[in-house]
Amino acid sequence: MNYYLLFKSLHLIAVISWMAGLLYLPRIFVYHVENINDQNSSNIFKTMERKLYFYIMTPAMFLSWFFGFVLFFIIGFDVLSTTWIQFKLIFVILLTFYHFYLGYFLSKLRSNKNTKTSRFFRIINEVPTILLILIVFIVIFCVGIPDAKPLVRNPHNWCARWQHPELNNRPTGPHCWDAVSYTHLRAH
């Protein structure tokens, strides 16, 4: 069994779940603030917010971090010396702070002490989108960062990844590492 691909898949599933919550919770805050005077609606929003934050988002955040550390363990902690992973970690740490920032507003709304407008929540709803875009581009295009080490030396250099020990001695070619390395991995 290829543990690297297993934990990478679990990491991606956790990240997708976490991001879904980070994108949805501020939107619920918008509707909650717009209907704050309707007690019945406000109670429904409070329940939705609490369940989303504590039952989906927070476990997904911890699993994202956990599986990310497992991946570091598998590929080696020396990957932390690369610039692209340092930028990725900075943005993930910002997402984590944003997560707890939303938790702060959750408690304010729950205790009916919120002072923010729906416009405020619409604006901060863009934060995870921007960070997600930055993270995806950094991970996919890490080639442009000088100390990133590509798996396959593509002449066009458009699809590099950190070198993984299980992918050494693989067939190489002019195409993206995904097509080459996954073919190689299936052979084991």
Side-chain angles (χ1 to χ4, degrees), residues 10-59:
L10 292 172
H11 177 68
L12 287 173
I13 291 166
V15 168
I16 290 167
S17 300
W18 184 30
M19 285 305 304
L22 289 174
L23 293 167
Y24 186 47
L25 186 60
R27 182 54 54 180
I28 297 174
F29 289 166
V30 167
Y31 299 135
H32 188 167
V33 170
E34 289 176 350
N35 295 286
I36 199 83
N37 295 327
D38 180 2
Q39 189 61 35
N40 191 30
S41 294
S42 184
N43 288 337
I44 291 170
F45 286 123
K46 287 177 185 179
T47 301
M48 291 171 63
E49 292 159 357
R50 178 179 48 81
K51 287 184 177 182
L52 177 61
Y53 187 81
F54 290 107
Y55 299 150
I56 297 172
M57 290 172 59
T58 301

Side-chain angles (χ1 to χ4, degrees), residues 113-132:
K113 295 180 180 175
N114 177 56
T115 58
K116 301 297 183 185
T117 64
S118 62
R119 184 171 190 271
F120 171 80
F121 290 116
R122 287 179 202 277
I123 292 169
I124 69 163
N125 193 33
E126 304 308 320
V127 170
T129 305
I130 293 166
L131 290 172
L132 174 66

